[in-house]
Amino acid sequence: MSYVRPNIEAMAGYVPGEQPRPGSGIIKLNSNENPYPPSPSVIEALRQVDYEQLRRYPDPFARRFCQAIAEVLGVPADWIIVVNGSDDLLNLLVRTCADDSARPIVYPTPTYVLYRTLAALQPATVVEVPYPDNFQFPLKELVAAQGAITFIASPNSPSGHGVALADLRALAQQASGLVVVDEAYVDFAEGSALSLVQEFDNVVLLRTLSKGYSLAGLRLGFGIAHPALLAELFKVKDSYNVDAIAIALGTAAMRDQAYKNACVAKIKASRTALTKELRHLRFTVLDSHGNFVLAAPPQGNAEQLYLALKEQGILVRYFKQPRLDDKLRISVGTEEQNHALIAALTRLTRTT
């Protein structure tokens, strides 16, 4: 006798990147975390937390954090929804807008696999549109799929490519439902789709503090969309989905753009150097707009290298699925971490 819904029994759950024990000494380049610490302003805000806040429920709309976002991005505060990591907003959107009848979820692949997982949880019909090998945007196919939601990760993971603003605008103009632009990695890119939110009432923009702001452990993100759409999402979200400490620390992080930008600049420089060194080892590496690279080893032995690196205390991400099973996704670490990775790969590629 089963106590769960059939779709839950049938689905495969999302598998996060491996998390080693703290203090293990493992070089962790598998989850696209920022290798640098959070802003000193965040650490100070943590020290200044009023313990009275732990007794009371937090602001359900995180208005203090919304105001900081509004000032930094130049958008009205009432166009912002704050969530428990941007995955929380993905979940809200699926639960609010999609089902298994004529309201499918559409996205180009390969991309963030959580989109598929959330659809299976609903359940909702999925239409996956393959990216061509050159990752040219498949606009016609995406429009033809008539999604209730069309998810576009830009920059995309695991490929690292960005989608041109003109392509996203064309999709918003022609799509029959919502166009959700997942900008988790936008801090490492050269452009954003922010302008489309006020241009089109069917565009939702997702952001997170996990990547550029070094706060993956805090679980804090936000979305930007027309207030009429946000009103529907507020019906579905948990009453107090973001805790008081996260609101305080997120506000401090958002107000310290200089620190975030300095860390991002270091990561982008390291990304360029890492790409160059991997190509020197004859890896095929796509140009990336994220804090990671997708690299195919010259002998196609990605899984073998993944396991060998793990034995040497270096974690990278391997996806055992078509079109990705000959590649490794490697997060950009500190210079020391990147050098250790390249040294290990140099040894391994000489012996295979």
Side-chain angles (χ1 to χ4, degrees), residues 28-331:
K28 190 173 185 300
L29 304 175
N30 65 337
S31 297
N32 298 344
E33 295 141 329
N34 195 311
Y36 300 106
S39 160
S41 300
V42 172
I43 307 305
E44 182 58 28
L46 183 59
R47 293 194 183 101
Q48 297 297 323
V49 167
D50 180 357
Y51 299 131
E52 176 70 5
Q53 292 179 301
L54 302 181
R55 186 179 66 81
R56 297 181 178 276
Y57 286 111
D59 176 359
F61 301 105
R63 282 166 288 201
R64 178 183 174 194
F65 183 45
C66 287
Q67 186 57 42
I69 298 167
E71 292 171 6
V72 169
L73 297 183
V75 297
D78 63 347
W79 286 58
I80 300 167
I81 182 171
V82 179
V83 286
N84 185 20
S86 58
D87 290 349
D88 184 24
L89 183 51
L90 294 173
N91 188 25
L92 289 176
L93 287 161
V94 171
R95 291 167 61 199
T96 303
C97 301
D99 58 35
D100 59 356
S101 58
R103 302 183 64 81
I105 292 173
V106 178
Y107 48 84
T109 58
T111 192
Y112 188 24
V113 296
L114 187 66
Y115 304 151
R116 182 186 302 141
T117 304
L118 293 174
L121 285 171
Q122 181 68 347
T125 303
V126 167
V127 179
E128 296 185 341
V129 177
Y131 271 119
D133 290 340
N134 64 359
F135 286 95
Q136 183 176 347
F137 193 63
L139 175 63
K140 292 181 180 179
E141 293 86 348
L142 291 169
V143 172
Q146 296 186 316
I149 307 172
T150 302
F151 286 121
I152 305 294
S154 181
N156 185 56
S157 176
S159 65
H161 81 279
V163 179
L165 183 62
D167 287 332
L168 293 172
R169 176 176 284 110
L171 179 61
Q173 289 171 331
Q174 300 176 48
S176 57
L178 293 181
V179 174
V180 179
V181 185
D182 186 345
E183 290 195 336
Y185 298 99
V186 73
D187 292 310
F188 309 101
E190 303 306 318
S192 166
L194 180 60
S195 62
L196 299 183
V197 175
Q198 290 182 300
E199 188 175 345
F200 300 97
D201 64 6
N202 66 331
V203 173
V204 183
L205 199 74
L206 272 69
R207 296 282 183 96
T208 179
L209 273 67
S210 294
K211 311 301 182 183
Y213 294 86
S214 305
L215 290 173
L218 195 66
R219 309 311 302 131
L220 186 64
F222 61 93
I224 305 173
H226 194 282
L229 175 59
L230 295 187
E232 301 303 317
L233 297 177
F234 283 132
K235 296 177 185 177
V236 181
K237 87 169 184 70
D238 179 63
S239 300
Y240 305 102
N241 62 325
V242 178
D243 69 73
I245 295 175
I247 294 169
L249 272 56
T251 301
M254 188 61 57
R255 294 194 184 282
D256 193 355
Q257 290 295 302
Y259 179 86
K260 183 265 292 183
N261 291 339
C263 289
V264 165
K266 288 191 289 186
I267 290 168
K268 290 167 75 172
S270 294
R271 181 182 68 196
T272 299
L274 179 61
T275 299
K276 182 178 180 180
E277 295 203 58
L278 287 167
R279 287 172 176 168
H280 181 73
L281 293 175
R282 297 189 296 117
F283 281 68
T284 301
V285 186
L286 294 174
D287 291 333
S288 175
H289 297 271
N291 65 336
F292 58 88
V293 297
L294 187 66
Q299 295 182 346
N301 57 340
E303 185 174 20
Q304 180 184 351
L305 287 178
Y306 157 73
L307 293 171
L309 286 170
K310 185 175 179 178
E311 287 183 357
Q312 298 189 27
I314 301 175
L315 293 178
V316 297
R317 197 71 187 269
Y318 174 70
F319 300 95
K320 197 174 184 66
Q321 63 186 72
R323 301 185 67 195
L324 295 176
D325 55 7
D326 62 340
K327 302 175 181 69
L328 299 172
R329 194 193 68 187
I330 304 170
S331 305

